[in-house]
């Protein structure tokens, strides 16, 4: 996988005002998925509290922090959930920053929250849950994809304006990150979860020239992972 891109710096640039980023200003927002979570029961934990990074997850977060150590990071923002905050912490520490929370980066809502949902196991074996699967396009079992895309884009745009001319890291969750990427690439939002390119602790780096998105660079500083592993 490619390395995360770096923004060019210009110490003489004028700080951008909201909605007023100069057209020749390059800004990069690294949209990061959190690291591996301690989830021995393999449930879909969604927005439930108390799910923290595993030992491997903490190592992944440290690896990404080390990868971004020489980048011009000026802002670190994370979902309010514990696993995202813990993933963001070592990156912020490397750059002497405080992790800021943003509710727009939170995990997608899901009616299967708290249940095991792997194929042929748990909740999906029980007929009372089948009605939730009636519409895979919205989807019927959780937060609408379009709503996810819009709130994620709001978080990214806020970070982009604040870090104009530099780099920002925003830490979220697999489905929100992947939905945002598909939205920005103009692809349909419903998809096969097995095809998500969004490994644990991966970076989906959005490169902007002024207010215009000019590139999307995906990288896996902490290595790849299976998108279908429950509880990751």
């Amino acid at each position: 996988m490619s390395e995360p891109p770096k923004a060019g710096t210009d110490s003489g640039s004028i700080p951008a005002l909201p909605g007023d980023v100069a057209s020749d200003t390059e800004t990069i927002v690294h949209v990061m998925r959190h690291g591996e979570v301690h989830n021995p029961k393999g449930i879909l934990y969604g927005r439930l509290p108390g799910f923290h990074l595993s030992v491997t997850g903490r190592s992944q977060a440290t690896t990404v922090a080390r990868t971004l150590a020489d980048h011009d990071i000026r802002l670190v923002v994370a979902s309010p959930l514990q696993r995202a905050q813990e993933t963001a912490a070592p990156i912020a520490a490397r750059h002497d920053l405080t992790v800021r929370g943003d509710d727009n980066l939170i995990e997608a809502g899901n009616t299967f929250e708290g249940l095991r949902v792997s194929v042929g196991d748990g909740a999906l074996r029980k007929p009372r849950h089948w009605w939730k699967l009636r519409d895979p396009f919205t989807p019927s079992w959780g937060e609408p994809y379009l709503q996810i895309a819009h709130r994620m884009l709001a978080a990214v745009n806020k970070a982009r304006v604040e870090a104009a001319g530099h780099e920002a890291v925003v830490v979220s969750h697999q489905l929100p990150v992947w939905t945002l990427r598909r939205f920005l690439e103009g692809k349909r939002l419903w998809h096969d979860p097995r095809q998500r390119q969004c490994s644990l602790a991966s970076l989906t780096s959005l490169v902007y020239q002024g207010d215009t998105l000019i590139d999307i660079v995906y990288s896996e500083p902490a290595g790849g992972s299976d998108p279908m592993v429950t509880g990751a």
Side-chain angles (χ1 to χ4, degrees):
M1 291 294 173
S2 59
E3 292 294 318
K6 295 181 181 179
T9 59
D10 179 3
S11 59
S13 62
I14 299 173
L17 299 174
D20 184 28
V21 178
S23 61
D24 61 346
T25 299
E26 183 177 275
T27 307
I28 299 177
V29 180
H30 303 283
V31 185
M32 183 179 179
R33 182 186 173 190
H34 64 77
E36 183 186 86
V37 176
H38 179 67
N39 182 23
K41 294 183 179 179
I43 68 169
L44 192 157
Y45 40 72
R47 297 177 177 177
L48 294 174
F51 283 87
H52 58 84
L53 293 182
S54 65
V55 172
T56 296
R58 291 196 295 273
S59 176
Q60 290 169 336
T62 300
T63 296
V64 177
R66 189 162 53 244
T67 299
L68 296 176
D70 62 346
H71 283 242
D72 186 25
I73 307 296
R74 298 296 181 92
L75 179 69
V76 179
V77 188
S79 156
L81 296 175
Q82 183 177 352
R83 57 193 183 272
Q85 292 283 320
E86 291 178 348
T87 299
I91 299 172
R94 281 267 184 170
H95 297 274
D96 197 25
L97 298 169
T98 300
V99 178
R100 187 179 306 174
D102 189 335
D103 289 346
N104 279 327
L105 296 171
I106 200 168
E107 176 65 282
N110 195 306
T111 59
F112 288 100
E113 187 175 272
L115 304 174
R116 288 180 58 87
V117 292
S118 56
V119 177
D121 188 17
L124 297 183
R125 297 180 61 184
K126 300 176 181 178
R128 71 173 182 271
H129 292 299
W130 294 350
W131 174 247
K132 298 175 184 177
L133 304 176
R134 67 191 181 278
D135 173 17
F137 308 109
T138 302
S140 54
W141 58 82
E143 184 180 5
Y145 292 129
L146 190 58
Q147 180 174 307
I148 297 170
H150 284 173
R151 64 174 171 81
M152 287 291 291
L153 187 58
V156 165
N157 279 334
K158 183 177 180 180
R160 173 181 63 83
V161 171
E162 187 167 347
H166 307 280
E167 299 175 49
V169 177
V170 299
V171 183
S172 186
H173 309 265
Q174 185 194 54
L175 178 55
V177 174
W178 183 239
T179 301
L180 171 67
R181 178 172 168 183
R182 292 184 69 85
F183 181 80
L184 292 174
E185 292 177 339
K187 297 178 180 178
R188 57 174 171 76
L189 300 185
W190 62 273
H191 59 278
D192 182 348
R194 295 170 297 182
Q195 302 302 316
R196 292 174 185 165
Q197 188 183 45
C198 191
S199 290
L200 289 162
S202 62
L203 298 172
T204 300
S205 301
L206 309 178
V207 184
Y208 289 88
Q209 200 73 42
D211 295 321
T212 303
L213 178 66
I214 62 171
D215 201 7
I216 298 176
V217 180
Y218 176 76
S219 58
E220 297 175 346
S225 62
D226 184 347
M228 294 300 291
V229 173
T230 302

